[in-house]
Amino acid sequence: MATHFVFLTGAGMSAESGVPTFRDGLTGLWGRFDAETLATPQAFRRDPALVWGWYRWRAWQLLQVQPNAGHRGIAELARRGHRVDVVTQNVDDLHERAGSTEVRHLHGELLRSRCIDCSARAEPDPITLALDPPEGGAHETPPACTVCGGAFRPDVVWFGEALPEAEWEAGLGAIAACDRVVVVGTSGMVQPAASLPLVAREMGKPVLEINPQRSGVTPLVDEHWAMPASTGLQRLLD
Ligand code: BV8
Ligand code: ZN
C-alpha cells in the first residue's frame, strides 16, 4: 500500500556525505567563522569578497562529495511507488543527485547565484565555476551583473531574510496532504523551518525523527530513532 511521506531534512542529512553541519562548526579554513555571522545581508554588504569566497568554497566542497545512503533511501521509497515530498533546510543538491524529484528548498540553493539588485542570473552560474580550494582564504570579489552592474550573491536565504513564499506554501501543502512526516538531521533551532514538525503534529500527522542526538524537535515527535540518517532510512525501507 502506497504511503505519502514528507521528509523534513536538515544539515544532519548530509553529514555522512562529508558536508559539515552548522552546529559542529565548518571544518578547515572557515571553522573560525560563525555561519550565523557570515550568512547575513550585513556581512555581504560589509565584505562581499569574504562572503562570496566562503560560498564559493562551500560550493566547491559540495561538488567533491556524493549523496549518502540516507539520500538514496528517500529516493528509493519513491521508486517503490510511495509519494515522497522532501522539504529541506539544506542548500545542497544531494537529494536531487540521489534521484529525489519533489524537493523544496526553504533556504535556497548553494549552487545558484543571482544579481543582488536585479536578480539576473548568468550561465554557467559563477558560483559553480571550478575553484581550487582557497589557500589562506578565498577573498574573491563577486562578479558584476552584465545587466545592471550589481554584485552577484549566493541564491540562499540569509538570516533576517524571508523564506521563499512558494517553497514555504508548498511545504505546508505537502504536510497537509501526507500520511506521515519524517524529520531527519535537524537541531530544530532555525525558525520558521523548525516550526514545521509542530505544524504536522497539529494537523494530526504521525511524526518520526531520525537523529543520533535529541534535538529541539524531539519533545514533540511520536517516535525518535536515535541513529544516523543512513541507518534510519534503511530501517524505513526494510
Ligand atoms: C526570518 C542558508 C524573518 C544560508 C540558513 C531569535 C529567536 C527565534 C528566531 C530568531 C531569533 N533571532 C532571529 C531569528 C530568526 C532566524 C533564526 O531562526 N535564528 C536562529 C539562529 C535563532 N531565522 C531567520 O532569520 C530566517 N528568516 O526569520 O525572516 C522575516 C520575515 C519576513 C520578512 C523579512 C524577514 C531565515 C533562516 C534561514 C537562514 N539560512 N541557511 C547558508 O546555508 O549559508 S540556516 C542554516 O542553518 C541551514 O539552512 C539550517 O536551516 C540551519 C542549520 O540547522 P540544521 O539544519 O538543523 O543543522 P544543525 O547543524 O543545527 O543540526 C544538525 C543536526 O543533525 C543535529 O541535530 C545533529 O544531531 C544531527 N546529525 C548529525 N549527524 C547526523 C545527524 N542526523 C542524522 N544523521 C546524521 N548522520
Ligand atoms: Zn543586475
Side-chain angles (χ1 to χ4, degrees):
M1 207 278 265
T3 301
H4 182 178
F5 290 93
V6 167
F7 282 88
L8 303 179
T9 67
M13 185 79 230
S14 302
E16 292 164 271
S17 295
V19 178
T21 65
F22 282 75
R23 294 291 168 281
D24 60 17
L26 290 176
T27 52
L29 187 64
W30 302 85
R32 64 182 184 281
F33 286 99
D34 170 25
E36 278 159 38
T37 315
L38 276 184
T40 63
Q42 294 76 10
F44 186 76
R45 260 199 303 281
R46 191 173 53 245
D47 189 343
L50 172 68
V51 175
W52 179 258
W54 182 54
Y55 280 91
R56 286 260 289 152
W57 175 72
R58 287 173 59 193
W60 176 83
Q61 258 204 332
L62 176 55
L63 296 173
Q64 315 307 313
V65 302
Q66 298 302 326
N68 61 58
H71 297 107
R72 291 195 299 273
I74 290 175
E76 174 60 20
L77 281 168
R79 267 196 290 279
R80 291 188 182 179
H82 299 290
R83 171 131 182 234
V84 179
D85 285 290
V86 176
V87 180
T88 186
Q89 297 173 75
N90 297 342
V91 294
D92 64 52
D93 64 340
L94 296 174
H95 281 298
E96 291 89 341
R97 277 202 260 155
S100 287
T101 53
E102 301 306 310
V103 182
R104 301 291 179 170
H105 286 274
L106 298 179
H107 294 159
E109 297 181 67
L110 178 58
L111 299 182
R112 288 164 58 97
S113 63
R114 68 174 194 268
C115 169
I116 196 159
D117 294 327
C118 75
S119 296
R121 296 184 187 283
E123 277 303 320
D125 196 310
I127 199 105
T128 60
L129 295 182
L131 167 80
D132 296 334
E135 297 311 320
H139 290 229
E140 184 189 276
T141 307
C145 171
T146 51
V147 174
C148 76
F152 261 59
R153 58 159 286 174
D155 206 2
V156 299
V157 178
W158 279 329
F159 288 101
E161 293 188 319
L163 274 57
E165 191 62 33
E167 301 299 274
W168 180 256
E169 291 305 321
L172 289 176
I175 293 171
C178 80
D179 301 315
R180 64 186 293 202
V181 170
V182 185
V183 186
V184 188
T186 181
S187 61
M189 309 273 277
V190 174
Q191 296 297 347
S195 64
L196 288 178
L198 183 63
V199 169
R201 183 174 180 78
E202 285 167 354
M203 290 180 174
K205 310 292 177 182
V207 183
L208 161 66
E209 179 183 25
I210 298 172
N211 186 332
Q213 314 283 335
R214 290 181 58 76
S215 74
V217 169
T218 311
L220 47 94
V221 301
D222 301 286
E223 256 191 302
H224 173 214
W225 294 353
M227 60 186 73
S230 56
T231 316
L233 262 299
Q234 193 49 55
R235 184 167 160 183
L236 263 182
L237 285 166
D238 288 348

